[in-house]
Amino acid sequence: MHLDLSRRAAVAERLRAAGCVFADAEAGLLVAEAGSATQLGRLVEQRVAGTPLEHLLGWAEFCGRRVEVAAGSFVPRRRSGLLVRRACELVAAGDVLVDLCCGSGAIGLVIAETVRGVDLHAVDIDPAAASVATRNLAPVDGTAYTGDLFAPLPQGLRGRVAVVVANAPYVPTAEIGLLPHEARDHEPAVALDGGRDGVEVHRRIAADVRHWLRPSGWVLLETSRTQAELTDAALTGSGLTTVSWYDDELDATVVGATTP
Ligand SMILES: C[S@@+](CC[C@H](N)C(=O)[O-])C[C@H]1O[C@@H](n2cnc3c(N)ncnc32)[C@H](O)[C@@H]1O
């Protein structure tokens, strides 16, 4: 116990010196994770070099749960809690929920844990992400597929989906270089790069989503405040009626759309 406390203090000091804002909390997590002093030393050096804490731990906290994340994959962001909240208000037990661009599956997982009995299908183009999502979604009987947007979904879901959620990549290509280096250097470009104006994936989702939604179904896209207008235009351009939600505390923006 005493050894752990002094190790923790030393690790916190090292992390603080390297500029870690939450040095004490991170030190506690790294000490708990490490099986030996050698492993702890390695983890601390990787963290000091900029590896995201979540990649070192193998999990991220999201909406109060621990969600497995693979090294080199997208780390779920706190701001996606807004997307989760809105979806939970629109989906009910027995409904089909689709989580596109699911990454680790965190968003669909929390919705399905909150609204029990949802029939969850999640898709990611990155096989490593889809494989983590398969494990994360097992407790809620969700299915994860590898592929491009709607392409791998079972055809039988066409016209039956109550809610599609997507935290798709939405950073404009030219702004990738401005992201914090933890994202830029440790998360894949396919998870971040939303094309020239950041909403190219949103346009592709908007173009196809009506084939999949049931009457009065919803599609909810996480976006940024500055891109909300473009995301909205993509959805209205597909004949959908839109609404935007903001959460200043989370710095979150979601554009939702339903069939008129
Ligand atoms: C911003 S990350 C979000 C991951 C997850 N939704 C979350 O919030 O934690 C975007 C994800 O979209 C996936 N992706 C990018 N283009 C895709 C496409 N065309 N089809 C399916 N997934 C895609 C990436 O691999 C990445 O996992």
Side-chain angles (χ1 to χ4, degrees), residues 98-102 120-127 130 143-158 204 208 212:
V98 169
D99 181 2
L100 286 184
C101 301
C102 67
L120 172 60
H121 300 261
V123 179
D124 203 282
I125 203 161
D126 174 358
T143 310
Y145 310 84
T146 302
D148 182 22
L149 299 183
F150 297 97
L153 290 174
Q155 290 298 308
L157 294 183
R158 279 181 169 258
R204 292 187 54 222
D208 273 357
W212 295 89

Side-chain angles (χ1 to χ4, degrees), residues 10-123:
V11 169
E13 195 47 46
R14 176 90 173 92
L15 295 179
R16 203 171 295 112
C20 283
V21 180
F22 303 109
D24 283 322
E26 291 199 11
L29 291 167
L30 290 175
V31 169
E33 176 65 23
S36 65
T38 314
Q39 195 194 358
L40 179 61
R42 224 175 8 243
L43 290 172
V44 171
E45 288 322 305
Q46 285 176 279
R47 183 68 191 116
V48 165
T51 304
L53 178 72
E54 294 83 355
H55 287 169
L56 297 175
L57 299 174
W59 56 268
E61 191 189 317
F62 181 67
C63 294
R65 284 121 174 118
R66 281 189 183 192
V67 179
E68 181 186 339
V69 291
S73 301
F74 186 83
V75 176
R77 306 294 204 263
R78 191 169 163 260
R79 68 165 61 91
S80 300
L82 176 62
L83 185 60
V84 167
R85 279 206 314 267
R86 289 295 167 250
C88 288
E89 290 161 5
L90 294 168
V91 82
D95 283 351
V96 177
L97 169 71
V98 169
D99 181 2
L100 286 184
C101 301
C102 67
S104 64
I107 290 171
L109 171 68
V110 178
I111 300 168
E113 281 185 341
T114 308
V115 183
R116 290 285 172 175
V118 156
D119 179 14
L120 172 60
H121 300 261
V123 179

Side-chain angles (χ1 to χ4, degrees), residues 119-243:
D119 179 14
L120 172 60
H121 300 261
V123 179
D124 203 282
I125 203 161
D126 174 358
S131 133
V132 172
T134 295
R135 288 197 290 281
N136 281 328
L137 300 185
V140 292
D141 289 331
T143 310
Y145 310 84
T146 302
D148 182 22
L149 299 183
F150 297 97
L153 290 174
Q155 290 298 308
L157 294 183
R158 279 181 169 258
R160 291 185 43 221
V161 180
V163 176
V164 172
V165 289
N167 176 21
Y170 59 83
V171 181
T173 307
E175 292 177 24
I176 299 282
L178 306 176
L179 291 174
H181 76 98
E182 285 191 11
R184 209 173 58 219
D185 299 338
H186 295 275
E187 292 179 325
V190 71
L192 305 170
D193 191 341
R196 191 183 46 80
D197 61 3
V199 296
E200 282 177 12
V201 185
H202 292 173
R203 285 194 193 93
R204 292 187 54 222
I205 294 172
D208 273 357
V209 72
R210 286 189 77 164
H211 301 302
W212 295 89
L213 291 181
R214 73 179 186 194
S216 303
W218 282 83
V219 53
L220 308 183
L221 303 181
E222 179 173 318
T223 187
S224 70
R225 200 174 270 262
T226 50
Q227 287 159 302
E229 220 174 288
L230 291 172
T231 301
D232 187 297
L235 292 163
T236 50
S238 294
L240 297 165
T241 304
T242 57
V243 55

